[in-house]
């Protein structure tokens, strides 16, 4: 095995250890503190991710769909949500499974803007994979709604209702919002080389996730459509 392979394996192992400890240990500490509190909070809201659902070009997932057991990230979400679980019912518990968050000043958009502004943007891999997204204002809105609405509990999908967005459609919409072309694809092999196998999966594969329960509990989206969300982010 060459040094590059050993280095990548070590990097992946270190990355996985860091992700596990940062999510699980922090969550377990908070959950234990809540459980022991003489006056526990009325609500406990955790944000995880739609990586719980298995990537597919055909399946559609809502909050009742199975998942959480097919790769590192799905298992992470399962362990993360288990770590947050509290005994009893004195505290209302809500889990928001978030999609890719679109907001100003960093995050997913921060990494994409430069190549797109230069006219070098385009779909990642085949572009056919679904791209579950949410505007940061709506993610904050769902959290506030969960905290303030006494009947909300259980799983909510933190994604926009425009659930059929593909990566290629996202690239075109971002190009349109910037007034730039967006047709230069980023090959899968390049994505894997740059980001490593574990992180590349998040970019090259996707899920069609619908916020059925999020809508049913009365949350009203500020940015249900991709075009308006991107215009606000890059304004």
């Amino acid at each position: 095995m060459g040094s590059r392979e050993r280095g990548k394996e070590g990097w992946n192992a270190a990355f996985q250890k860091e992700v596990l400890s940062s999510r699980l240990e922090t969550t377990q500490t908070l959950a234990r503190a809540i459980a022991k509190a003489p006056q526990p909070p009325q609500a406990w809201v955790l944000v995880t991710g739609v990586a719980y659902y298995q990537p597919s070009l055909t399946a559609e997932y809502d909050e009742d769909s199975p998942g959480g057991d097919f790769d590192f990230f799905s298992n992470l979400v399962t362990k993360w949500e288990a770590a947050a679980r509290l005994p009893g019912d004195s505290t209302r518990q809500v889990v928001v499974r978030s999609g890719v968050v679109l907001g100003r000043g960093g995050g997913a958009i921060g990494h994409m803007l430069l190549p797109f502004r230069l006219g070098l943007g385009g779909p990642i891999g085949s572009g056919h994979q679904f791209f579950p997204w949410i505007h940061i204002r709506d993610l904050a809105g769902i959290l506030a709604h969960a905290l303030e609405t006494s009947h909300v509990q259980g799983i909510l999908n933190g994604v926009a209702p425009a659930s059929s967005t593909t990566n290629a459609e996202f690239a075109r919409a971002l190009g349109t919002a910037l007034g730039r072309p967006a047709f230069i694809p980023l090959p899968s092999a390049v994505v894997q080389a740059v980001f490593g196998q574990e992180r590349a999966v998040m970019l090259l594969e996707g899920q069609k996730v619908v916020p059925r329960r999020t809508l049913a509990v009365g949350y009203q989206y500020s940015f249900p459509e991709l075009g308006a969300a991107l215009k606000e982010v890059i304004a």
Side-chain angles (χ1 to χ4, degrees):
M1 181 186 290
S3 60
R4 177 176 292 183
E5 282 80 4
R6 283 197 300 270
K8 183 168 283 189
E9 276 200 4
W11 183 86
N12 277 343
F15 169 68
Q16 291 183 14
K17 185 177 179 181
E18 176 195 341
V19 169
L20 282 168
S21 64
S22 66
R23 270 62 167 187
L24 301 186
E25 292 173 14
T26 304
T27 302
Q28 286 168 345
T29 300
L30 287 168
R32 281 195 293 265
I34 292 171
K36 293 176 181 177
Q39 290 185 303
Q42 293 182 342
W44 163 226
V45 182
L46 176 75
V47 179
T48 62
V50 295
Y52 178 84
Y53 308 110
Q54 186 158 13
S56 171
L57 296 176
T58 55
E60 179 177 284
Y61 301 106
D62 67 13
E63 290 89 347
D64 294 325
S65 298
D69 59 357
F70 57 88
D71 67 3
F72 170 73
F73 286 106
S74 65
N75 279 292
L76 168 63
V77 175
T78 296
K79 292 174 183 175
W80 196 358
E81 293 177 1
R85 215 159 285 138
L86 301 173
D89 56 4
S90 56
T91 297
R92 188 166 46 83
Q93 300 175 60
V94 183
V95 172
V96 179
R97 292 179 182 152
S98 174
V100 177
V101 181
L102 306 182
R104 301 183 190 185
I109 287 288
H111 295 295
M112 298 177 191
L113 279 181
L114 181 60
F116 273 84
R117 287 192 194 279
L118 295 173
L120 301 174
I124 296 174
S126 71
H128 296 148
Q129 68 272 31
F130 288 109
F131 190 84
W133 62 273
I134 187 167
H135 190 284
I136 192 167
R137 194 181 300 172
D138 278 318
L139 181 58
I142 292 170
L143 297 180
H145 188 72
L147 286 169
E148 296 166 1
T149 310
S150 60
H151 68 271
V152 177
Q153 57 184 353
I155 306 295
L156 300 178
N157 282 334
V159 296
S163 56
S164 61
T165 303
T166 65
N167 185 274
E169 289 166 346
F170 178 84
R172 282 197 298 271
L174 181 54
T176 299
L178 289 167
R180 295 289 189 274
F183 55 81
I184 300 176
L186 186 60
S188 301
V190 175
V191 177
Q192 290 169 342
V194 171
F195 292 98
Q197 193 69 35
E198 298 287 2
R199 282 175 170 163
V201 167
M202 294 188 290
L203 299 170
L204 295 169
E205 300 180 354
Q207 311 91 334
K208 183 179 182 181
V209 181
V210 296
R212 183 183 58 78
R213 291 195 72 241
T214 308
L215 291 166
V217 299
Y219 181 70
Q220 295 185 335
Y221 283 81
S222 298
F223 295 96
E225 298 298 329
L226 182 59
L230 288 173
K231 283 180 184 175
E232 196 283 330
V233 168
I234 66 170

